[in-house]
Amino acid sequence: MTMLDDRQTAAPWPTAYPQGYAVVDVETTGLARDDRIVSAAVYRLDAQGNVEDHWYTLVNPERDPGPVWIHGLTSEVLEGAPLFPEVAAQLSERLADRVLVAHNAAFDWSMLAREYARASVVAPVEQRLCTIALAKELRLPLPNHKLASLAAHFGVVQQHAHHALDDARVLAEAFRPSLHAAARGGVRLPLLECRPLTEWSDSPVTPRIGYQPSYGQNSWRASRKRPACPYPNPGRYEKDKPLMQGMRVAFSGDTSVDRELLEDRAVEAGLHVATSVSRLTSLLVTNDPDAATSKTVKAKSFGTPILDESAFTHLLRDVAPACGQVPAPSSE
């Protein structure tokens, strides 16, 4: 396993810091409530961020593997893999008494919590730490908050993006200097409480992908002013091609990920979040394309491409840079 050479910190190690970490990455069939984990990796770190060991497993999701073009795990590859209940004990051993660390930790934690609940086991995790939140606390000069940008900032080389084991390794190596920087600067770690699910009941019918009634009986919420997108609109999204910075993205309907968080991630990736659909809209993201909302009706009349939340979020992980454009350094 690869470790960073710098093992010293100039300041005394804060006694209030956790005594161990479990850096986690999971690949999944999607992002909705009923989506499943297809692979998981854990790097165990000591109190100062030094790697102790690592672990990786495939997981049979008992369903379609989802975006194979992202994680590369086909049904044939996963057919002989263990079910989650068969690896839950091994995973628990590596998570117990440690802070769960992940890039966008809310997602990894929610997927793990659901899998544990399905297996009728309580996940042994009490706290989590999101490396995106830590990067913001440290005000790292990143162009965006992708794992690749965090890795590049600390000189960590990615070998196999979207492979759970390599993503966990990269994050572990980038987390260690982040942890030391926080210790030197007296920065409080952005720890959040984890509340495991204690029971699970499968829906009697298959829900719409990503559906969650997040906003009660209607989807009204206060509009949020965002800075202008610095990139030109490259046009419409094309199937089987990556998203490109500057694309105009509109959202319609309920989403499994909080809408503002989803929009924030789109903006950080260099996309333009539009409040309405026009002929200039690059794509519409909705989990219910058959709903007769004004946005879906306009999108269909204009021939605007429509993606569900799961497909959009996976594409969001690898947005192509705008042609001839160099993003300005982030103020974070």
Side-chain angles (χ1 to χ4, degrees):
M1 65 186 69
T2 304
M3 299 186 195
L4 297 178
D5 294 330
D6 173 24
R7 289 180 171 271
Q8 302 298 321
T9 180
W13 204 258
T15 57
Y17 274 33
Q19 293 304 301
Y21 304 89
V23 177
V24 173
D25 185 79
V26 298
E27 295 298 322
T28 67
T29 62
L31 300 172
R33 176 181 182 272
D34 290 340
D35 274 304
R36 306 297 299 270
I37 289 175
V38 294
S39 65
V42 181
Y43 266 73
R44 290 197 293 189
L45 312 181
D46 65 16
Q48 295 193 352
N50 301 315
V51 177
E52 296 177 334
D53 59 28
H54 65 256
W55 174 83
Y56 170 76
T57 185
L58 295 175
V59 180
N60 186 338
E62 301 180 277
R63 52 156 288 177
D64 182 274
V68 174
W69 63 92
I70 297 291
H71 52 61
L73 300 175
T74 64
S75 296
E76 291 73 22
V77 170
L78 297 171
E79 184 178 3
L83 303 179
F84 186 85
E86 296 172 333
V87 300
Q90 298 176 57
L91 180 57
S92 293
E93 179 184 347
R94 288 158 176 83
L95 298 178
D97 302 319
R98 295 171 186 266
V99 172
L100 184 151
V101 178
H103 205 64
N104 188 16
F107 170 71
D108 293 80
W109 163 242
S110 66
M111 294 303 299
L112 286 170
R114 291 168 187 163
E115 290 287 9
Y116 270 103
R118 289 187 187 96
S120 300
V121 179
V122 176
V125 180
E126 296 182 358
Q127 290 180 308
R128 67 179 184 267
L129 188 157
C130 179
T131 47
I132 296 176
L134 181 56
K136 291 181 178 180
E137 290 289 333
L138 295 173
R139 297 187 178 276
L140 299 181
L142 305 177
N144 53 54
H145 292 290
K146 293 182 181 180
L147 176 58
S149 297
L150 183 66
H153 178 77
F154 289 113
V156 181
V157 178
Q158 180 117 47
Q159 298 172 353
H160 192 171
H162 306 310
H163 186 289
L165 183 60
D166 197 55
D167 280 353
R169 174 192 63 82
V170 168
L171 187 57
E173 293 191 14
F175 174 63
R176 185 168 174 277
S178 298
L179 183 63
H180 283 223
R184 288 193 300 269
V187 175
R188 182 178 179 180
L189 297 181
L191 301 175
L192 293 177
E193 179 186 4
C194 289
R195 297 182 179 179
L197 299 174
T198 56
E199 61 181 53
W200 179 268
S201 59
D202 288 312
S203 303
V205 295
T206 303
R208 298 192 300 270
I209 297 175
Y211 176 77
Q212 176 177 314
S214 306
Y215 305 109
Q217 296 302 313
N218 58 57
S219 58
W220 179 90
R221 61 191 178 90
S223 61
R224 193 172 162 197
K225 188 177 176 73
R226 299 179 183 277
C229 180
Y231 309 108
N233 186 352
R236 290 183 172 178
Y237 166 74
E238 296 181 38
K239 185 178 180 181
D240 297 328
K241 291 187 177 181
L243 298 173
M244 182 175 289
Q245 289 180 326
M247 282 186 170
R248 297 176 64 93
V249 182
F251 296 88
S252 178
D254 293 309
T255 54
S256 60
V257 175
D258 180 82
R259 174 71 72 82
E260 288 192 357
L261 174 59
L262 195 59
E263 292 180 353
D264 284 345
R265 292 177 63 188
V267 170
E268 288 173 353
L271 303 178
H272 175 104
V273 174
T275 57
S276 60
V277 173
S278 72
R279 296 184 186 278
L280 297 178
T281 304
S282 303
L283 72 154
L284 174 68
V285 178
T286 178
N287 290 318
D288 192 1
D290 295 324
T293 66
S294 60
K295 290 181 181 178
T296 55
V297 170
K298 285 184 178 180
K300 290 177 180 179
S301 68
F302 295 147
T304 304
I306 298 176
L307 292 177
D308 64 42
E309 179 188 357
S310 175
F312 173 72
T313 308
H314 280 287
L315 287 171
L316 198 58
R317 300 169 72 174
D318 285 299
V319 177
C323 295
Q325 295 288 323
V326 179
S330 171
S331 60
E332 292 290 336

